[in-house]
Every structure is written in C-alpha cells, then in structure tokens.
Amino acid sequence: ADKLDAFQARIDADGRIEPQDWMPEAYRKTLIRQISQHAHSEVVGMLPEGNWITRAPSLKRKAILLAKVQDEGGHGLYLYSAAETLGVSRAELIEQLLTGRAKYSSIFNYPTLNWADVGVIGWLVDGAAIMNQIPLCRCSYGPYARAMIRICKEESFHQRQGYELLLTMMRGTEAQRRMVQDAVDRWWWKCLAMFGPPDSASVHSEQSMRWGIKRISNDELRQKFVDATVPQAEVLGVTLPDPKLKWNPERGHYDFGEIDWEEFWQTVNGHGPCNKERLATRVKAHEDGAWVREGALAHARKRRQREQAAAA
Amino acid sequence: ADKLDAFQARIDADGRIEPQDWMPEAYRKTLIRQISQHAHSEVVGMLPEGNWITRAPSLKRKAILLAKVQDEGGHGLYLYSAAETLGVSRAELIEQLLTGRAKYSSIFNYPTLNWADVGVIGWLVDGAAIMNQIPLCRCSYGPYARAMIRICKEESFHQRQGYELLLTMMRGTEAQRRMVQDAVDRWWWKCLAMFGPPDSASVHSEQSMRWGIKRISNDELRQKFVDATVPQAEVLGVTLPDPKLKWNPERGHYDFGEIDWEEFWQTVNGHGPCNKERLATRVKAHEDGAWVREGALAHARKRRQREQAAAA
Amino acid sequence: MDAVATETGVLLDYLLHLGDNALVLAQRNCQWCGVGPVLEEDLALANQSLDLIGQARLLYQEAARVQGGGATEDTLAYFRDDTAFRNYVLLELPASLPRVGYAQGDMDWGVTLARNFLYSALMVPLWEALQNSGHAPLAAIAAKSLKEARYHLRHASEWVVRLGDGTDESHARMQAAFDHLMPYTQEFWVPSDFERAAVEAGIGVDVTALQAGWRATVAATLQEATLRVPSDQGYVPQGKNGVHSEHLSYLLAEMQSVARAHPGAQW
Amino acid sequence: MDAVATETGVLLDYLLHLGDNALVLAQRNCQWCGVGPVLEEDLALANQSLDLIGQARLLYQEAARVQGGGATEDTLAYFRDDTAFRNYVLLELPASLPRVGYAQGDMDWGVTLARNFLYSALMVPLWEALQNSGHAPLAAIAAKSLKEARYHLRHASEWVVRLGDGTDESHARMQAAFDHLMPYTQEFWVPSDFERAAVEAGIGVDVTALQAGWRATVAATLQEATLRVPSDQGYVPQGKNGVHSEHLSYLLAEMQSVARAHPGAQW
C-alpha cells in the first residue's frame, strides 16, 4: 500500500513512471494494451496508404507518401519498444495482433479508393490522431510519453503535407476537386468516431484519467477536432458531409450531427469493409517472411558458434 | 517382315494407319514425340497471347483473342487424344513437358510486347504453322491426320483474324502503325526459323518422309511461306526486316537473307528470352492445380463407392 | 430532372449495372486463361468468360444507344473510372482469399469456382425474370443470357460438389472460399435507388423477391458438397452505387491501359 | 542529324537509362511496403526506394532540361511507353521466380534481395566513375548517389550472407533467386549504342571496364554466403534499347494509371 501511495503521488505531482519503477499490475496491463494497440495501428495503418505508393501521380508525391508510410512503420517500432519496457516481447504482441486477440484502430478498416484519400488521411485521420495523442505526450509512463512526443511531431508534419496535397488538388481540375470531395465524404464521419464512444458510454476512462494515461475525455477531444477542422475545410473549399454542422455562438463551439455508432461497432467487431483483408495481409506477410527471420536467426547462431570456437 | 511390308505398302498407297493396326515401334515413337510436341506447343502457346487478353483495347478484340487462345487449348486436347491412341497417357506426356524432357515450339519462347503482337502472331506465326501443318492433314497416321484437318481449319481462321487486326491498326494512328512495324520486326525472322533447320542439316527428315509423316522439306515450306507472305506485307504496308528480300524472276521465288541459326539453337536449347518463364508458369499452374485434380478424383471414387454400395 | 431524363438515367444505370457485372467477372476469370488446374477446365472457364463478354457487349451497346452522344460499348468499358462502375464488389475481388489491394499473391481456383456459383445462382432467376422486362431490348438480352447462366450454374455447382466432397484439402479450400465470399452477397439483396426505380418503371426485377430461391439453391448445393453455409452478416458493399473495394481500380488500370494510351484509336 | 543534336540525344538516352533503372527498381521494391518479412527490413527497403526515387528525380530533371519542350520529371516518368524506357530488364522483373507477364503470384523476398545486391554491386563502381563525367550535373548526381549505393550494397550483401548461410530453406531460396537473376546481368556488359557514344563524348562510363570488379564482388559475397555463382549465359536482354520483357508494360500501366487518367493535372 505504501508503494501504491507513492506511485499515485508521483503521478498526481505530474512525475513520470519509468520501467524500473514499481507499478500496479493493472497499470502495467492497461499500458501494454494501449501501447501495443497503438503500435499495431501504426503497422496496419501502412496498408491503406501503401495502396497508393505504386500509383502516386507525381514523383514528388510518391516520395512523400513512401516516406510517410515509412514513418508510420517507424512509429510502430518505437511503440513496440516502449511496450517491451513493460516486460512483454514484440513477438508476443504481434502474435496477439495476428490471432485477432489484440485490436488496432478501426479507422484502418476502411478502403482508400482514390488518390485524394492519401491527402484526406493526412489531414483528417492524422489530424484526429494528433488530437488524441498530444495529451499522451504528458502520459505518466515515461517511455510512452517520450515516444509520443516524437510521433506527434512527425504526425503534424504529415498532416500539413496531407492538407497541402488537397490544396493543390482543389486548385486543379474539376475531376481533381471531385476526388477530394468524394474522399472527404467517405472519411469525415469515420474520423469523428476515432475519438471513441461518447463519454456517457465510455468504459475505461475514469481509471485511466486517475493514472495519468488519459487526460482529456473523448467528447472534449472530438469537439476540439471539429472546431479546428471546420475552418480548414472552408479554406480548402470542401463541404463536410453533415447538414447539422454549424457554429453555436452560445457554446462557442460547432454543433454537429449524430455519429452512426452502430456502424462504428460493426467495424470494431470485425465487420468493416476491410477488416479481413487488413488482418489476412498482415498474417500472410508474417508467414511468407518466416523463412527470412529463421534464416537470419540461424546465421546469427552459426556466427556466434564460430566466434566461440575461434576464441576457445 | 510381312507386317512391315504390309505397313509400308499401305503408306505408299496413301492409306491410313489406325490405332489398332500393327506398326513398327520406331514409327510409334516418332509419332508420339511429334504429336506430343505439337500438343505441348498449343498449350504453352496459350501463354504469349494470353498475356494480352486482360488488356485487349476493345471488347470485340478481347472476345476474339480469348476465343483464339481457347481454340489453342482445344487443339492441345485433340492432339493429346491423338497421342493417347498410340498407348501413352496424357499425364505421362505432361510430365515430360514439365520436367523439360519434351520440347515445344521454340517460337513461344519470345515475349509478346505490344498489342500488335497478337495480330502478328495470328498472321505470321499461325501462317507459318499452317504451312507446316497442311501436309500433316495427309499424314499416314489416321488420328493425327484427322486432328490436323480440324486444327488447320481453325488456324486459317485465326490467321485471317490476325491479318484483319493488323489492317485495322495500319489504317489507324501513327502510333498504331509503329506498333505493327515493331511487332513485325521482332517476329519475322523467328517465323522463318519455325520451319526448322535447312534441309542440308535436318536429321529426322528422310525416315519421316518414307513413313508419310513428313511430306515436304523444311526449305520448300519456308520458301512457300515467304512467297505467300511478301505480297500480304505489301498490302498491309509494313516492311519485312530483310534487306536481301527480293523477287528472283529466274527462280520464280523471293530470295531472302540468312537466318541467325545460332540464336535459334540458343533458344531451342533453353536460352531464349522466355523459356524459363513459360515452363515455370506451366509447372506452377500444374502444382497449384493439384488439389483440384485430386479433389475431383477423390469425389469420383466416393461416388462410385456409394453407387456400388447402393447396388449391393 | 424531368421524368424522361430520370427514366433514361435509371435505364442506363440498370444496363450498366448488368453489363459491368458481366465484364468485371469476365476480366477476373480471364486471368486464369492458360494457367488453370486442368486443360478442360481452363477451356470451360474461357468459354464462360466469352459468354460474359458477349453479355456485356449487348448490354453496353444498348446503354450506349440510350446514352447517345457518341457513346459506344468501348467508351463505356474503357473510359469510365471505377466510381462509374456499378458492378457488385463480389465480382471485382481477386481470385484469392482476403488481401489488400496491392498485395500480390497466388490465385485460388476455389475462390473462382465459389464466386461463379454464387453469382450464376443469382443470374439464373434474374435473367429469367428479366425476360419480362418492359424494355424489350433488355428482355431479349435476358433470354439469350439465361441459357448461358444456366450452363454456368450447372458447371459451377458440379464443381462445388466435387471439391466440397473431395479430399480434406479441397473441402477445406472450398469452405474457406465460401466463408470469404458469402458476406459480399449481401449486396445482391439491398436494392439501390436505380434498381428500385427500374422495378417501378417496369424495366427491372425486384431482387429481394429472388433471395429465398437463391438461398435454397445455395443451401442445397452446399449441403450436397458437405459444406457449411457461412454467415453473410456484416458490412454490405456498395459497388452498385460506385463505392468499390481497393481492387477495382487496379483491375481497370490494367484492362484500360492500352485503350487509354491511344484515345480515339480504332482497333 | 548534326553533331549537336546527336550529342544531346546521347546525353538524354544516358540520363534516361540511369533514371529509368532507379525508378523501375524503386517501383518494384515499393510493392513490399507494409508486407515485408520484418518491420525493420520493411523500413530499410522503403528507405532505399526513397533514395532511388530521389536519384530518378535528379536524373529526370536534368534529362527534362536537356530535352526541353516542356518536359518535366513527371512527363518522363508518367507519359512514356515501355519501349521508351531504357532500364535493365533485370529491374522490371516481378519479385518472384520466373513466371509470365500475367501470371499472378506471391512475391519472394530472396529475389528482391538478390536483385538489390546484383544491381548495387554495379552501381557503386559506376557512380564512382561517373563522378568524373564530363557532364558536370551528372557528376554531381553521381557523387550523391554513390553514398546511397554504398549503403544499399552493404545492406544487401549482409542479407545475402545471412540468408545464404542461414537455414537450408533460406540457402535454397537465395540460390534459386541468384540462378534466376544472374543471366539478366549480362545486359550490364553489352554496351548499347548510346552508352558507347556517351563514353566517346566523355559523358559516360565504359561498363565493360567494371565487369571484373563486379565479378569479384559477387564471387566474394556469394562465397561468404556459401552460395554457388550461377552461370550467366544465354539470352542477353535488350532493355537499354527499349526491348523489354512482358513485365514492364504491366508495371507502367499501374504506375502511370492515375497520372494518365488526368493528363495535364498538377499534383
């Protein structure tokens, strides 16, 4: 109980918990679940954007997109490392992903259907992710907080690139503008759902708040995102597909319509348009790559044995 | 010796040998080799043209090409059946193809690089094949001769379709005309080589002539092909890539240049541009299809057993 | 939009929906030409693709006539983007178990057979009913297509039974194929606006009325094949409304590449 | 053609040859992004593809300047047909053991690694020598690219050794990959007309002079990897002269599909 009090006191004083520090088992488990979900999301998230690398319509955009997807993979690496500091192996976490026991962000279960999706994912999906993640830069667990600082910096860069891609397309041909609007229409509501269920229905929040893992509620973050995005949409010249969206001077916020939570839960529970494709692709990549990983391990073993033999 | 005399007499009198008739073992072996090579050529020959089915630039041409490639597969079937009348199974013959012990026409070891290749294969490759095959319609072995009659009829149709495709392209844009000329440049010499080595260097011919399997020499057929093709090229408006090609009024034939036999033998011996791809594709198709063939066999067995059980 | 224009639009969408189904499935099945598991089946599949291309051509020719303005069967096939295609998503999927758009992989004959079965089990009653379409050219196309669809259904059913009730491996592969594809069939039964309007206009068929018969066909064949009828719950694809999977744009990029490199050329 | 025009043509062909090599290999390697065997290697390969795209852009920008008439790096990448591409055939092959153009199939990481090794083992000495190109912009590109190629070679070599001298399976796969690819390297050593002319003009490098060093690098690495150096006899590909395999037109159809659907658009 002493240890627990000290732990909570450190958090309340906005201090950081480090890997070697004592922590409650539930805190450790919650963090492992959250960090690994986040890592899986980065890795699975490579697929929807990876879908357009080979077809990017200019070499500059091809390079930007490839670099971005590579960054996402890099985020996956930092996050797996952060999770490993909590005493779980990357192999174990990946096994959980591939067998469907671990989740990843449901937003990646929607397809990318035209080139403008690349821009809209940068602008809206990364935008929503940043909104969610900025508070995590102050998360009580040190390695996670530090990973998030680096990730948020890169994500902001991606968001600006996505927005700039869309600006360029909106200044282009009629067909290009249609592509952007089509992409916005498909992604807008999915992005609002990224902040999770309404506070009234959210399960884990209270404990996470107390532990300094979560700092702002789903609904607050969602409102912040809407408020920040509407003016950007106006500058861009696209229509956000919500007839109820309008400024409420009393609240000092934008009002917006009702999210289709049933569709959201369907997708979370495996019935989105791409759940099976995303996971099956990861599983196949992992299986097809087994010989490479095993070959590298076998070689390292051989090399070690040779060195030992030489030293003996 | 009596049987042999009777056999040869029947051939000399232009009669047909049928499956149940006595025949010398060497005759049987020669026929099996030749018919199965021909069958394999039809099947492997599906690949270079199959390469353009998904990309045919009009629906009409797509249908014509698909029907043509399907016909080639059909020819493969007749020919495997004709070979089977000589006491060898299709499975055995396919095994010989896939293990590289049996050959197929070397012409299919060249790539099809633009849409006009489809037309040029019809016009020139099928044209040369018909020239080779028409005499086989009078081959001494009945089942082979009958298969060839049907095949030649269909091949003539393909040849006309190929020529008509090229006529349409030559009446089209500058780019289309360039495509046709490019295809003709790449295929012309390969087609001349399809008639086989010069008579002076040909090995099997004499015995095959006596047995009524081969009736006209390689060089004669090649000359016939050149003589028939040059006027067609003129109508089409393409240049055949041979500076030595010109009418010789004394011979009453076109003179033409020297075939690059070294390149021909390189390709026959496995070093053409596509030998490995063609064979590996057949091998993979066969292996990937094993479960289908085995499933169908297992089902047939089950069904037989059930019928026997019901009858008992 | 006035009534005549709307009716033209409905007819056009309906014809394109049927034509796109035929063409996109033909395109997928064509990829097997020359690499099928056994020569006879290679040819049988090519034959069915030829039927489907033939159906697509008739439907597009009629659509082009309705649309006017210089449209032809080929402008409709080669110069529309994926969002203008109205085929079922089921038909544009690669012949493989689930994978994302750009992940290359081996084809799976079981998926091809299962798809041909599920689709032709729909098209037999659909063409049957469309013989009574108030749009006479469509009724005529339906009568011709019905014969072909019957053959496709018989062929696919026989093979589903053969491989479902074959070896353990072939059974497992067929079951996996149906498990993968079945949810996509939900799109059959949720009428799009243009389908509803086509029914009202006496042009089209009420697909919901075909569902029970289709289920019975599927259940009977799968039972004979010793296969389980999989669940078809979850996401309902929207291909008919132009919202496709990640796969169609790849399919069209390849199919249209030569034609689009030479706009206006005759072939 | 007068001398100036010819020299421009030679320089243009030479720049395009180098640029096409980089772009086509990048395009093939990009297909692995998100589906590699292990995350670190996925990222390493993406990183190398980024280097190659960067090289292609510099080379195309210079080529566009030389060509004039409104050419840009993107018109060169997106609006040329396969016969205008001057890359080695080696680089356009799918990442798989031999198969025909339209046969879909799984990718093979061993082929990707072996190809990256064979190519970067050429490019290190080639860029090294090109630092002395008489065409100053090319010399500058060479200096930048050399650093990247050195890293690519080191990375690929290490993996060739690791997997060649790994398990029986990884050994067999790497050997099969080299057996498949080695004959295509013959194209390196048979100079095209434009390469010969570029050497004469002091722009280009005599590749034949690099062959012995390349062979030594390959032999040393394969020996360390316990792999046999395969024969490289037989057909000599002609990609540099615009005569490609059946694979390039598919690669370009996909790569160019969006750009060509919107000619003249800015991205």
Side-chain angles (χ1 to χ4, degrees), chain B residues 1-10 22-24 210-211:
Chain B
D2 275 5
K3 288 195 279 188
L4 185 59
D5 289 346
F7 167 83
Q8 190 64 48
R10 170 121 46 118
W22 182 89
M23 63 189 81
R210 201 147 53 82
W211 278 341

Side-chain angles (χ1 to χ4, degrees), chain B residues 43 46-47 52-63 66-67 69-70 73-74 77 80 90 115 168-169 175-176 179 281-282 284-285 289 291-296 298-299 302-303 306, chain C residues 23 27 30-31 33-35 37 39-40 43 46-47 49-50 53 57 60 73-74 77-78 106 108-110 159 161-163 165-167 169-170 173 224 254-255 257-259 262 265-267:
Chain B
V43 172
M46 297 171 80
L47 300 177
W52 289 93
I53 295 170
T54 62
R55 297 179 290 177
S58 79
L59 294 180
K60 184 182 120 187
R61 293 291 173 196
K62 196 191 216 30
L66 179 56
V69 177
Q70 190 196 24
L77 279 184
Y80 283 127
R90 203 213 293 186
W115 168 253
T168 309
M169 284 184 75
Q176 286 177 299
M179 287 162 80
T281 300
R282 289 303 320 155
K284 183 164 190 307
W291 72 271
V292 177
R293 298 189 300 275
E294 286 158 14
H299 180 75
K302 282 186 192 177
R303 175 158 287 196
R306 274 182 228 137
Chain C
L23 179 59
Q27 181 74 2
C30 278
Q31 294 179 311
C33 188
V35 295
L39 194 47
E40 283 83 350
L43 305 187
N47 205 38
S49 299
L50 279 169
I53 295 169
R57 293 185 65 191
Y60 286 156
E73 60 179 81
D74 288 328
Y78 291 97
D106 291 347
D108 182 329
W109 184 258
W159 272 96
V161 170
R162 221 167 261 151
L163 296 180
D165 186 23
T167 60
E169 185 186 2
S170 71
R173 280 172 173 271
E224 195 184 342
E254 178 177 320
M255 184 179 92
S257 58
V258 178
H262 304 273
Q266 297 298 308
W267 302 98

